[in-house]
Amino acid sequence: MTAPMDAPESSQHAEPDAAAARGAGAANRSLRQIAWQRFRGDRVGMAGGIVVVLLVLVALLAPLLTSWFGYPPNQFHQDLIDPLTGGVLRDPAAPSRELDPWGGISAQHLLGVEPVNGRDLFSRIVYGARTSLLVATVATLVCVVIGTVLGVVAGYFGGWTDVAISRAMDIFLAFPLLLFAIALVGVVPDGAFGLTGNNLRIGVLVFIIGFFNWPYIGRIVRGQTLTLKEREFVEAARSLGAGSAHIVFREILPNLLTPILVYSTLLIPTNILFEAALSFLGVGINPPMATWGGMLDNALRFYTTSPHFVIIPGLAIFVTVLAFNLFGDGLRDAFDPRSSD
């Protein structure tokens, strides 16, 4: 009769032991393993990350996808277009010449076709993803390199170096970037620096976005460096005779990778919107190269007769920016040391 009374007591002893085992397991895990477990438990962040991976694959496999599911992005299909209104015909063979409210969506054209020229929207969207991600990613890389170098220099050496770099950050942050980009792109000739056409335009956009946005990440890196250089492991390295180069490259920079990675994922969607805005204003990538902003610019004239032409590129921009933001927020929460498992 005494055995049933002993069972709850033994289970009470087992619970602290299990909690202690879980705590010991958590202590033995690396920071990357803990961050991955946190991120994996964030369904919203994981969904954003999956969409980001799919977008990157779509951009990389654009020629293959268009050969399977569409047509070349600049191929015209005038037989699908009404020559009087420029709208997409419901049935080109019918004598009524009735317009299709769905924009020609069919098995041959998964997202329909553009008004006036009949280019395949699926192919244009896929190649537009390649353009947007290329410009945004390379510009973010330029921004990260400049911001990291100047932020570490300002935070580690301090003094007049910190003052000069900080004032330069203030000047760049106060710069009217959009107006400057419009003016600079407008005056750049058709050929410069060994580049021509849209290759030159892409290079100019990458330079403008990357060079003039570095203060944002520079301030974050500077603040982190000011904190890290006072930590015990840096003081220990300095007491052992380590030079500035060793401390910066072996002690400080490895601990800056996480905030740099997180901020980069949040900076890419901003750069995507900036490139789309410039293309929408007609000073970005020149036609006929596919860009989401350029497609929106062309679609404004047909939003009453062909609303799909406005909705599809708008949704592409919205989904891409939202996915990157959710992915970046998930990474930030996962690497936050104040977060609980």
Side-chain angles (χ1 to χ4, degrees), residues 70-91:
Y71 295 85
N74 296 322
Q75 180 177 336
F76 291 178
H77 298 86
Q78 297 291 343
D79 56 314
L80 303 177
I81 303 300
D82 181 14
L84 298 179
T85 63
V88 183
L89 295 172
R90 182 189 297 271
D91 184 2

Side-chain angles (χ1 to χ4, degrees), residues 263-289:
Y263 189 76
S264 297
T265 58
L266 297 173
L267 188 61
I268 288 177
T270 302
N271 294 339
I272 290 176
L273 287 175
F274 192 83
E275 182 276 327
L278 291 178
S279 296
F280 177 80
L281 295 173
V283 293
I285 307 299
N286 289 326
M289 189 172 185

Side-chain angles (χ1 to χ4, degrees), residues 6-340:
D6 294 336
E9 182 178 357
S10 61
S11 63
Q12 291 176 358
H13 287 291
E15 291 180 358
D17 294 339
R22 288 194 300 268
N28 293 330
R29 288 179 295 167
S30 66
L31 292 177
R32 291 182 179 179
Q33 292 174 331
I34 295 174
W36 167 244
Q37 182 177 4
R38 292 174 180 169
F39 183 73
R40 190 173 55 184
D42 185 356
R43 295 183 179 179
V44 176
M46 281 291 293
I50 292 172
V51 174
V52 167
V53 172
L54 291 177
L55 287 170
V56 173
L57 291 177
V58 165
L60 293 176
L61 302 176
L64 189 61
L65 291 174
T66 54
S67 65
W68 285 352
F69 304 108
Y71 295 85
N74 296 322
Q75 180 177 336
F76 291 178
H77 298 86
Q78 297 291 343
D79 56 314
L80 303 177
I81 303 300
D82 181 14
L84 298 179
T85 63
V88 183
L89 295 172
R90 182 189 297 271
D91 184 2
S96 61
R97 312 295 287 180
E98 184 181 358
L99 297 182
D100 186 359
W102 299 101
I105 294 177
S106 64
Q108 290 76 28
H109 303 281
L110 298 180
L111 298 178
V113 297
E114 288 183 344
V116 179
N117 50 44
R119 290 181 294 190
D120 185 70
L121 270 182
F122 174 80
S123 300
R124 303 284 294 174
I125 289 293
V126 168
Y127 273 88
R130 167 177 283 195
T131 303
S132 295
L133 291 178
L134 173 64
V135 173
T137 303
V138 178
T140 300
L141 181 61
V142 173
C143 176
V144 166
V145 171
I146 298 176
T148 300
V149 171
L150 294 181
V152 169
V153 170
Y156 182 78
F157 293 101
W160 65 268
T161 304
D162 185 18
V163 173
I165 295 177
S166 297
R167 297 295 77 78
M169 292 181 185
D170 295 335
I171 293 173
F172 275 89
L173 290 174
F175 213 84
L177 181 56
L178 181 60
L179 296 178
F180 178 78
I182 294 174
L184 183 59
V185 173
V187 300
V188 170
D190 293 335
F193 311 109
L195 301 174
T196 58
N198 280 321
N199 291 330
L200 177 61
R201 285 295 182 103
I202 291 175
V204 172
L205 290 179
V206 167
F207 169 77
I208 293 173
I209 298 173
F211 183 75
F212 288 93
N213 275 333
W214 68 265
Y216 294 99
I217 194 168
R219 281 190 165 183
I220 294 176
V221 171
R222 174 185 175 274
Q224 293 290 327
T225 303
L226 288 173
T227 302
L228 289 173
K229 75 175 185 178
E230 304 297 334
R231 298 286 295 275
E232 292 81 2
F233 61 89
V234 174
E235 294 293 341
R238 189 178 292 113
S239 65
L240 292 175
S244 298
H246 174 88
I247 293 175
V248 168
F249 288 101
R250 300 295 298 274
E251 306 294 341
I252 293 180
L253 278 180
N255 290 281
L256 292 174
L257 293 179
T258 296
I260 290 174
L261 174 63
V262 172
Y263 189 76
S264 297
T265 58
L266 297 173
L267 188 61
I268 288 177
T270 302
N271 294 339
I272 290 176
L273 287 175
F274 192 83
E275 182 276 327
L278 291 178
S279 296
F280 177 80
L281 295 173
V283 293
I285 307 299
N286 289 326
M289 189 172 185
T291 61
W292 292 340
M295 294 173 66
L296 280 176
D297 180 33
N298 296 331
L300 290 182
R301 296 172 291 170
F302 306 98
Y303 70 93
T304 56
T305 58
S306 300
H308 76 289
F309 194 19
V310 180
I311 294 173
I312 292 175
L315 278 177
I317 297 174
F318 173 78
V319 170
T320 302
V321 172
L322 180 63
F324 271 102
N325 283 329
L326 295 178
F327 179 53
D329 288 340
L331 286 179
R332 181 185 58 194
D333 295 338
F335 284 104
D336 189 352
R338 293 170 294 182
S339 299
S340 58

